[in-house]
């Protein structure tokens, strides 16, 4: 079954549950109070030429939130919002985000993961040919400390352009907004096979790369290849902060990998 949807949608929530083999095209969604689109239980679904617009100060207005779905594609879309442009939740598998323009917003995020019991693994996510402008994050993985065990594997970010992004590259296994977590405990989410390749542009803050891993679940195969990020602000050069990780490195690297320590009490980005 092939479903093709063409329409302008304004001022109502949009939710797709348990669809298979669908194409959803040419939708504009504007100024929602919370998530613009929620995707649950999909298999082989493509969103293309999707436009989202919301003020940058609007909370919880994620552009497209995806969970427990296999084979979702988000292609050639423009998302301006006050939260994650594309948020990828538990149970997401074989997902591709290609040609997405994000900004303002919080970037593309996997997670936050394993706050609740019985969350499913994330496996096979590719984010490529995407542009982030004036966002708080670029590409990000975030997991809760002291919460539930889980896995997140085979995640690839490549051919990314960041312009004046506060945190262009971030893995945060101490994600703890508003201190509502067990910050002194370690994350129980195992991260495997994560790569950041050909990521370039400017960072609004000196900390352009921030990789915070769990001390009890050391990384397995994290790769940084051809990273070229400079600082767009008035203070010093960009740095790369690392904790509990020694990434595989290749190609040009600016900032130098793991050139600065993580603060004792890191601040979680929104």
């Amino acid at each position: 079954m092939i479903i093709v949807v063409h329409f302008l949608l304004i001022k109502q929530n949009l939710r797709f549950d348990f669809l298979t083999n669908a194409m959803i095209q040419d939708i504009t969604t504007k100024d929602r109070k919370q998530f613009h689109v929620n995707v649950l239980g999909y298999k082989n679904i493509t969103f293309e030429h999707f436009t989202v617009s919301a003020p940058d100060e609007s909370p919880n207005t994620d552009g497209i939130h995806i969970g427990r779905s296999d084979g979702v594609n988000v292609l050639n879309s423009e998302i301006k919002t006050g939260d994650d442009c594309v948020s990828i939740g538990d149970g997401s598998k074989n997902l591709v985000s290609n040609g997405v323009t994000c900004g303002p917003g919080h970037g593309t995020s996997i997670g936050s993961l394993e706050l609740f019991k019985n969350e499913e693994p994330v496996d096979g996510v590719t984010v490529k040919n995407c542009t982030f402008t004036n966002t708080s994050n670029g590409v990000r993985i975030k997991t809760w400390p002291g919460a539930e065990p889980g896995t997140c594997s085979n995640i690839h970010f490549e051919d990314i352009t960041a312009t004046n992004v506060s945190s262009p590259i971030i893995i945060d296994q101490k994600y703890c907004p508003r201190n509502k977590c067990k910050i002194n405990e370690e994350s129980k989410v195992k991260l495997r096979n994560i790569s950041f390749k050909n990521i370039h542009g400017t960072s609004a803050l000196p900390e352009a790369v921030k990789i915070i891993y769990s001390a009890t679940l050391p990384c397995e195969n994290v790769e940084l290849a051809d990273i070229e990020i400079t600082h767009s602000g008035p203070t010093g050069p960009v740095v790369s902060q690392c904790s509990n990780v020694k990434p595989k490195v290749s190609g040009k690297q600016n900032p130098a990998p793991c050139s600065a320590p993580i603060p004792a009490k890191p601040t979680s980005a929104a």
Side-chain angles (χ1 to χ4, degrees):
M1 177 180 65
I2 303 295
I3 300 174
V4 182
V5 181
H6 300 266
F7 60 93
L8 177 69
L9 181 70
I10 299 178
K11 295 184 179 178
Q12 58 179 315
N13 290 327
L14 180 60
R15 183 180 181 114
F16 295 95
D17 293 346
F18 307 106
L19 285 177
T20 299
N21 298 333
M23 170 72 78
I24 300 167
Q25 293 180 305
D26 301 320
I27 293 178
T28 295
T29 166
K30 181 178 174 63
D31 294 338
R32 296 179 193 271
K33 292 183 178 180
Q34 293 199 0
F35 287 7
H36 288 253
V37 178
N38 192 67
V39 176
L40 176 68
Y42 268 36
K43 188 171 183 180
N44 301 327
I45 304 294
T46 296
F47 291 85
E48 188 165 18
H49 301 135
F50 208 94
T51 302
V52 173
S53 179
D56 59 0
E57 69 276 9
S58 55
N60 298 318
T61 54
D62 295 48
I64 301 177
H65 176 74
I66 301 159
R68 304 203 176 194
S69 297
D70 188 346
V72 176
N73 301 296
V74 182
L75 309 177
N76 306 317
S77 296
E78 181 178 5
I79 302 177
K80 301 178 180 180
T81 187
D83 212 297
D84 295 330
C85 291
V86 179
S87 59
I88 301 164
D90 78 288
S92 297
K93 300 177 181 178
N94 305 310
L95 183 149
V96 174
S97 177
N98 190 343
V100 174
T101 299
C102 171
H106 295 178
T108 290
S109 294
I110 297 175
S112 52
L113 297 178
E114 303 302 340
L115 177 60
F116 304 107
K117 291 184 177 181
N118 302 317
E119 291 191 20
E120 298 180 3
V122 174
D123 187 12
V125 174
T126 298
V127 179
K128 62 186 298 184
N129 299 321
C130 293
T131 299
F132 300 89
T133 304
N134 299 323
T135 54
S136 58
N137 305 288
V139 289
R140 172 170 64 159
I141 302 171
K142 50 182 177 174
T143 74
W144 291 87
E148 299 298 319
T151 61
C152 179
S153 308
N154 303 310
I155 312 299
H156 305 294
F157 305 105
E158 56 189 75
D159 302 330
I160 303 296
T161 299
T163 302
N164 197 43
V165 173
S166 296
S167 297
I169 296 173
I170 180 167
I171 294 176
D172 186 0
Q173 293 207 270
K174 287 283 189 181
Y175 180 72
C176 187
R178 299 173 295 280
N179 294 317
K180 292 184 178 181
C181 66
K182 300 175 182 178
I183 190 62
N184 294 321
E185 298 186 18
E186 298 296 329
S187 173
K188 300 173 186 176
V189 180
K190 182 70 172 181
L191 303 183
R192 301 188 184 97
N193 301 330
I194 315 294
S195 67
F196 301 89
K197 296 183 178 181
N198 190 28
I199 298 179
H200 60 277
T202 58
S203 175
L205 299 175
E207 300 81 15
V209 179
K210 187 180 295 184
I211 302 178
I212 305 173
Y213 258 81
S214 170
T216 56
L217 291 172
C219 71
E220 289 187 4
N221 191 24
V222 177
E223 182 177 3
L224 297 172
D226 296 309
I227 308 299
E228 178 60 31
I229 302 173
T230 58
H231 187 209
S232 58
T235 56
V238 291
V239 297
S240 170
Q241 297 180 324
C242 294
S243 177
N244 304 310
V245 60
K246 292 184 178 179
K248 177 183 176 182
V249 174
S250 63
K252 189 171 183 177
Q253 295 287 326
N254 185 52
C258 302
S259 54
I262 296 286
K265 293 184 178 181
T267 300
S268 289

